[in-house]
């Protein structure tokens, strides 16, 4: 067995999973890149002690909704050690969650900033920052046991998944199928606003998969994804997962 397979399977809860994940060095290209980013740094972050390790999922252990992105940014999550923290993509996502009452504050700056998520957990198919934000298929597959175990540990409560981007959508489908959820054939295509109801083949709960454009700067700066579009998908997914919204969608 590989390190991810062995250590993920042995994790008895999400805290143990995160601890095991942060020691992973299974993908040489990603290890080299994340550590190089920590050495070179950006001028704006010259005084930061970069995390430079795999970044675990973030959010409550009884989350009803799981947000699946792509991978940490070299100077975002790879710097701060928390998913969607320290970059513009994280700000856009957390602003939307806060507007819906799903986050305690509108900004995600560093691990000790007091941010708490309500009913929502953030994770990624690849837990190390990749060059050019593009993991290889092999790196995605090597990292898959971490996502599979995270979903397994969340199974008692999770009722919805929002895939932020096509990469997350395509990465989570085989994980869901392996965990017993019935994925239609042919596989449903990603799209913003896509919604697929997935029954469980055993005694597990139904789960709904939602598609949303990724909160990357490329999408948000060009208007491909607007704050209203993001809030609409997140709000609908949260309500369907049984999370009451604290504020009205605008």
């Amino acid at each position: 067995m590989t390190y991810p397979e062995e250590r993920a399977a042995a994790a008895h809860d999400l805290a143990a999973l995160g601890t095991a994940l942060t020691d992973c060095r299974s993908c040489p290209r990603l290890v080299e890149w994340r550590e190089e980013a920590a050495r070179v740094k950006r001028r704006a972050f010259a005084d930061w002690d970069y995390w430079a390790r795999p970044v675990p999922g973030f959010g409550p252990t009884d989350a009803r909704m799981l947000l699946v992105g792509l991978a940490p940014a070299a100077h975002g999550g790879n710097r701060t050690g928390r998913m969607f923290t320290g970059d513009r993509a994280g700000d856009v996502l957390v602003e939307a969650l806060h507007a819906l009452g799903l986050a305690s504050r509108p900004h995600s700056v560093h691990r000790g900033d007091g941010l708490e998520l309500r009913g929502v957990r953030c994770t990624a198919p690849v837990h190390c920052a990749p060059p050019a934000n593009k993991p290889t298929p092999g790196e995605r597959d090597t990292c898959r046991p971490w996502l599979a175990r995270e979903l397994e540990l969340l199974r008692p409560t999770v009722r919805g998944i929002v895939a932020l981007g096509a990469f997350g959508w395509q990465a989570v489908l085989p994980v869901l199928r392996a965990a017993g959820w019935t994925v239609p054939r042919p596989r449903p295509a990603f799209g913003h606003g896509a919604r697929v109801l997935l029954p469980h083949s055993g005694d597990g709960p139904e789960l709904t998969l939602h598609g949303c454009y990724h909160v990357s700067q490329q999408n948000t700066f060009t208007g491909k994804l607007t704050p209203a579009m993001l809030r609409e998908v997140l709000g609908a997914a949260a309500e369907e997962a049984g999370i009451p919204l604290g504020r009205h969608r605008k």
Side-chain angles (χ1 to χ4, degrees):
M1 297 177 69
T2 66
Y3 180 95
E5 291 171 322
E6 180 180 357
R7 295 300 301 275
H12 61 279
D13 59 23
L14 289 167
L17 185 70
T19 298
L21 185 153
T22 59
D23 289 333
C24 186
R25 301 180 66 87
S26 297
C27 299
R29 188 182 78 113
L30 299 187
V31 171
E32 181 180 1
W33 177 254
R34 78 192 192 204
E35 294 179 355
E36 179 183 348
R39 288 192 302 271
V40 176
K41 303 184 181 181
R42 282 186 176 166
R43 183 176 300 176
F45 308 127
D47 59 344
W48 272 79
D49 182 12
Y50 275 50
W51 174 260
R53 288 181 281 168
V55 181
F58 166 63
T61 58
D62 59 351
R64 297 187 66 86
M65 185 167 79
L66 183 65
L67 305 183
V68 180
L70 192 161
H75 303 284
N78 186 57
R79 171 173 59 90
T80 63
R82 193 173 71 189
M83 287 286 176
F84 290 108
T85 300
D87 59 13
R88 182 55 185 159
D91 286 343
V92 170
L93 178 62
V94 173
E95 284 171 10
L97 292 172
H98 182 260
L100 296 167
L102 303 177
S104 62
R105 49 185 290 140
H107 303 295
S108 182
V109 182
H110 58 82
R111 294 197 309 280
D113 61 10
L115 173 66
E116 296 181 358
L117 302 182
R118 182 170 65 84
V120 179
R121 185 175 176 89
C122 296
T123 192
V126 175
H127 287 272
C128 292
N133 292 320
K134 293 182 179 179
T136 67
E139 290 161 351
R140 175 202 62 202
D141 294 346
T142 297
C143 210
R144 182 174 293 162
W146 302 116
L147 178 60
R149 183 60 176 153
E150 188 167 11
L151 183 60
E152 184 179 7
L153 291 167
L154 288 169
R155 177 175 161 177
T157 59
V158 70
R159 297 296 180 269
I161 293 179
V162 178
L164 297 170
F167 188 95
W169 178 278
Q170 293 162 4
V172 78
L173 285 174
V175 173
L176 291 169
R177 176 174 287 147
W181 278 279
T182 302
V183 177
R185 294 183 183 274
R187 285 184 182 181
F190 170 77
H192 182 81
R195 175 186 174 278
V196 183
L197 182 63
L198 305 174
H200 199 276
S201 59
D203 59 354
E206 285 188 335
L207 189 149
T208 306
L209 175 63
H210 298 260
C212 180
Y213 290 140
H214 196 277
V215 288
S216 66
Q217 290 189 16
Q218 180 180 357
N219 288 339
T220 58
F221 282 7
T222 62
K224 182 176 182 178
L225 178 67
T226 66
M229 291 168 63
L230 178 59
R231 290 194 301 269
E232 187 63 30
V233 172
L234 294 177
E239 289 183 321
E240 192 163 354
I243 308 171
L245 300 182
R247 302 184 183 192
H248 295 293
R249 282 173 276 172
K250 299 178 181 178

